[in-house]
């Protein structure tokens, strides 16, 4: 028998066609994978570069939003974060500069006067400016063991009660004088914030003792009558920082006055 092998017409062309199609498909898949990878990694690299810039202190860095998908949402969120951070830092720097200016002003007053009637209003106005208070007063100890009003600002114009004297241990101001502790919050909301009949009855309050440990010889009380929660932790910290040098200055004036009376006698 004779076996004859013959190539089927067109089978070679079919193999070439299949191979070509497979090759083209592979090239297309590779190109598509590269494009997708670049499409994904490109924005991520941009976000990474922007984050590194922000970490280095450039809070003006932003990302151009070119799309509306998750990558675009990430870019918008990043830009919103940097805007909020820039606003916060700007406000913080402004508060720092204002506080420094207030302390400089207070320092000038402390070094320039030994007159209590001149010093105490400067202390009060500096405290009000530092925390944005609408009204305030300063009470100092008297010879009867209580507290007497020495300065007020904005109280009467805002129809707030102005106590001329306070008994230590009674009312809000008396409680601060007795404990030496700082109080902050809404008047009447807690036992510690319960005012005496001759004190303001509503609104936000921030009060700190003037003290030379272990003795308390005065109180600075600030009020925000239009906002019950008008003072935050930053305001409390600022007033406490100011109360230290103010206490030393006021006590020095009191001691100077006492020494002057003693030398005259």
């Amino acid at each position: 028998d004779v076996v004859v092998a013959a190539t089927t017409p067109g089978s070679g062309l079919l193999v070439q066609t299949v191979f070509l199609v497979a090759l083209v498909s592979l090239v297309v898949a590779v190109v598509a994978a590269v494009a997708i990878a670049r499409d994904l990694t490109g924005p991520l690299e941009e976000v990474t570069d922007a984050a590194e810039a922000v970490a280095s202190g450039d809070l003006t860095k932003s990302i151009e939003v070119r799309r509306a998908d998750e990558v675009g949402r990430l870019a918008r969120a990043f830009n919103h974060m940097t805007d909020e951070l820039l606003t916060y830092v700007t406000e913080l720097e402004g508060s720092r500069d204002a506080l420094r200016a207030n302390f400089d002003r207070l320092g000038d007053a402390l070094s320039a006067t030994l007159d209590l009637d001149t010093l105490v209003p400067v202390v009060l106005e500096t405290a009000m400016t530092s925390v944005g208070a609408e009204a305030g007063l300063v009470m100092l100890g008297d010879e009867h063991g209580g507290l007497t009003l020495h300065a007020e600002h904005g109280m009467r114009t805002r129809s707030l009660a102005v106590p001329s004297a306070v008994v230590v241990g009674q009312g809000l101001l008396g409680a601060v004088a007795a404990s030496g502790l700082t109080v902050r919050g809404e008047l009447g909301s807690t036992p510690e914030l319960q005012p005496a009949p001759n004190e303001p009855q509503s609104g936000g309050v921030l009060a700190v003792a003037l003290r030379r440990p272990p003795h308390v010889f005065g109180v600075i009380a600030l009020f925000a009558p239009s906002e019950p929660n008008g003072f935050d932790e930053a305001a409390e910290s600022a007033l406490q920082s100011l109360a230290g040098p103010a206490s030393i200055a006021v006590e020095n004036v009191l001691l100077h006055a006492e020494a002057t009376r003693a030398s005259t006698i």
Side-chain angles (χ1 to χ4, degrees), residues 5-92:
T7 304
T8 303
S11 62
L13 180 61
L14 178 61
V15 171
Q16 293 177 359
T17 302
V18 171
F19 177 77
L20 181 61
V21 170
L23 181 61
V24 170
S25 299
L26 179 61
V27 171
V28 171
V30 171
V31 172
V34 171
I36 293 174
R38 183 177 300 172
D39 187 59
L40 292 176
T41 59
L44 293 179
E45 290 177 356
E46 188 176 3
V47 171
T48 301
D49 293 340
E52 290 176 349
V54 171
S56 300
D58 182 10
L59 299 181
T60 62
K61 187 70 175 179
S62 63
I63 302 174
E64 183 179 355
V65 180
R66 305 185 185 91
R67 47 207 293 178
D69 58 4
E70 288 77 5
V71 175
R73 290 175 57 192
L74 177 62
R76 284 191 294 271
F78 181 89
N79 293 338
H80 178 71
M81 178 193 70
T82 54
D83 290 342
E84 291 292 323
L85 187 59
L86 181 60
T87 300
Y88 174 77
V89 170
T90 301
E91 291 176 351
L92 188 62

Side-chain angles (χ1 to χ4, degrees), residues 8-257:
T8 303
S11 62
L13 180 61
L14 178 61
V15 171
Q16 293 177 359
T17 302
V18 171
F19 177 77
L20 181 61
V21 170
L23 181 61
V24 170
S25 299
L26 179 61
V27 171
V28 171
V30 171
V31 172
V34 171
I36 293 174
R38 183 177 300 172
D39 187 59
L40 292 176
T41 59
L44 293 179
E45 290 177 356
E46 188 176 3
V47 171
T48 301
D49 293 340
E52 290 176 349
V54 171
S56 300
D58 182 10
L59 299 181
T60 62
K61 187 70 175 179
S62 63
I63 302 174
E64 183 179 355
V65 180
R66 305 185 185 91
R67 47 207 293 178
D69 58 4
E70 288 77 5
V71 175
R73 290 175 57 192
L74 177 62
R76 284 191 294 271
F78 181 89
N79 293 338
H80 178 71
M81 178 193 70
T82 54
D83 290 342
E84 291 292 323
L85 187 59
L86 181 60
T87 300
Y88 174 77
V89 170
T90 301
E91 291 176 351
L92 188 62
E93 290 176 346
S95 299
R96 179 200 61 193
D97 294 340
L99 186 60
R100 181 182 297 137
N102 288 330
F103 272 105
D104 291 342
R105 179 188 177 198
L106 179 59
D108 293 340
L110 301 186
S111 61
T113 182
L114 288 173
D115 178 23
L116 197 63
D117 293 334
T118 301
L119 175 63
V120 173
V122 173
V123 170
L124 176 59
E125 291 176 13
T126 303
M128 291 178 60
T129 302
S130 298
V131 305
E134 299 177 10
L137 54 82
V138 176
M139 312 285 293
L140 295 179
D142 55 32
E143 63 272 16
H144 305 297
L147 298 176
T148 301
L149 180 70
H150 272 256
E152 69 88 12
H153 186 79
M155 301 287 291
R156 294 185 173 88
T157 58
R158 289 171 174 76
S159 301
L160 295 175
V162 182
S164 58
V166 169
V167 177
V168 174
Q170 296 184 11
L172 183 141
L173 301 178
V176 173
S179 66
L181 300 177
T182 300
V183 297
R184 172 174 61 91
E186 183 179 359
L187 283 165
S189 61
T190 65
E192 295 79 14
L193 295 169
Q194 191 65 39
N198 62 340
E199 297 174 352
Q201 300 297 303
S202 62
V205 62
L206 173 60
V208 65
L210 295 174
R211 57 189 304 168
R212 188 71 166 174
H215 305 295
V216 175
F217 59 85
V219 173
I220 300 176
L222 307 179
F223 300 91
S226 61
E227 299 181 16
N229 299 314
F231 300 111
D232 55 16
E233 292 183 2
E236 181 177 341
S237 178
L239 185 59
Q240 288 176 332
S241 297
L242 185 143
S247 297
I248 296 173
V250 171
E251 186 186 38
N252 286 342
V253 173
L254 294 174
L255 292 175
H256 180 268

